[in-house]
């Protein structure tokens, strides 16, 4: 018998279709995007990434060599740009100190990669798991505010449920499939934005209304 989480995924995929997420062409672009998207809308991140791409800076070596103050100006559209420039440089410097390049860093086993990311100042579980899943293809389910809200409203999570407990539930009930985790998280974000909003949720017509 399929689990409730499987039922939710099947329903959302049938309603929305594939989401083609994360919208990045290379591991470095995805990594940069995961840091820049903290506390801002993705449209702002796209503008910041476009600035880096247009300047020919969207590669590991160029970003590492760019002074933090200059990097901050390129990513200004993403907000908190000084802080995010420091976080990005913290990560790049750590990678350079331990590995030849980003690909080598991302090729670590899942747990080693996750712990290395979490050790970087300014990178929490959601950002670390986003990089691990979307840039490295590791089987880690990404939990965000949408995930907690949707599960709580459908009686599948307590209001005080933390990141780890929610992630554990998904990874226990679902097979360890990065592609599945990728699509599921993207569908949750889509549902959270269009229907299960923080205020004024659109419950009538929601694809999960039957639940």
């Amino acid at each position: 018998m399929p689990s409730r989480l499987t039922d939710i995924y099947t329903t959302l995929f049938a309603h929305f279709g594939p989401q083609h997420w994360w919208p990045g062409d290379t591991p470095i672009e995805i990594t940069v995007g995961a840091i820049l998207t903290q506390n801002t809308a993705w449209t702002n991140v796209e503008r910041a990434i476009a600035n880096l791409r247009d300047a020919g800076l969207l590669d590991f070596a160029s970003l590492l060599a760019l002074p933090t103050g200059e990097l901050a100006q390129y990513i200004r559209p993403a907000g908190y740009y000084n802080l995010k420039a420091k976080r990005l440089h913290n990560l790049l410097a750590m990678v350079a100190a331990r590995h030849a390049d980003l690909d080598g860093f991302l090729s670590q086993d899942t747990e080693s990669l996750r712990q290395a990311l979490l050790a970087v100042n300014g990178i929490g579980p959601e950002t670390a798991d986003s990089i691990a899943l979307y840039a490295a293809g590791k089987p880690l389910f990404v939990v965000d505010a949408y995930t907690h809200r949707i599960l709580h409203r459908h009686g599948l999570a307590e209001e005080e449920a933390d990141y780890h407990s929610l992630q554990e539930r998904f990874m226990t009930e679902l097979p360890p499939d990065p592609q599945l985790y990728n699509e599921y998280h993207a569908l949750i974000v889509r549902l959270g934005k269009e229907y299960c909003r923080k205020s004024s949720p659109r419950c009538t017509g929601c694809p999960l209304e039957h639940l």
Side-chain angles (χ1 to χ4, degrees), residues 3 5 114 125 129 139-144 147 151 156-157 161-176 181:
S3 71
L5 293 183
R114 189 174 196 269
D129 292 341
L140 285 170
F141 197 92
V142 177
V143 173
D144 58 14
T147 313
L151 262 63
L156 297 175
D162 62 12
Y163 187 99
H164 175 73
S165 64
L166 291 175
Q167 184 185 59
E168 185 177 32
R169 172 153 193 182
F170 279 92
M171 294 179 63
T172 298
E173 294 190 22
L174 302 174
Y181 292 175

Side-chain angles (χ1 to χ4, degrees), residues 24-25 30 68 76 98 106 111 121 124 153 155-156 161 170 180 190 196 201-202:
D25 296 328
I30 294 170
T68 305
R76 180 183 283 267
R98 300 184 185 182
L106 296 175
E111 187 57 26
N121 185 32
R153 285 178 173 173
L156 297 175
F170 279 92
L180 171 62
R190 179 80 178 270
C196 205
R202 297 171 55 205

Side-chain angles (χ1 to χ4, degrees), residues 55-120:
L57 296 170
L58 200 54
D59 64 84
F60 181 81
S62 296
L63 290 173
L64 181 63
L66 190 66
T68 305
E70 291 185 31
L71 173 59
Q73 294 309 306
Y74 282 107
I75 65 172
R76 180 183 283 267
Y80 302 99
Y81 47 92
N82 289 317
L83 181 61
K84 291 179 180 180
K86 290 179 182 178
R87 289 176 177 174
L88 183 54
H89 265 169
N90 287 341
L91 173 58
L92 298 176
M94 183 270 290
V95 172
R98 300 184 185 182
H99 300 269
D101 52 29
L102 184 62
D103 289 340
F105 174 72
L106 296 175
S107 68
Q108 298 178 85
D109 65 86
T110 303
E111 187 57 26
S112 296
L113 175 61
R114 189 174 196 269
Q115 292 307 314
L117 288 166
L118 289 173
V120 176

Side-chain angles (χ1 to χ4, degrees), residues 9-20 183 186-187 190:
Y9 173 77
T10 302
T11 301
L12 293 181
F13 190 84
H15 184 84
F16 291 118
Q19 298 301 293
H20 307 294
E183 194 67 68
L187 289 166
R190 179 80 178 270

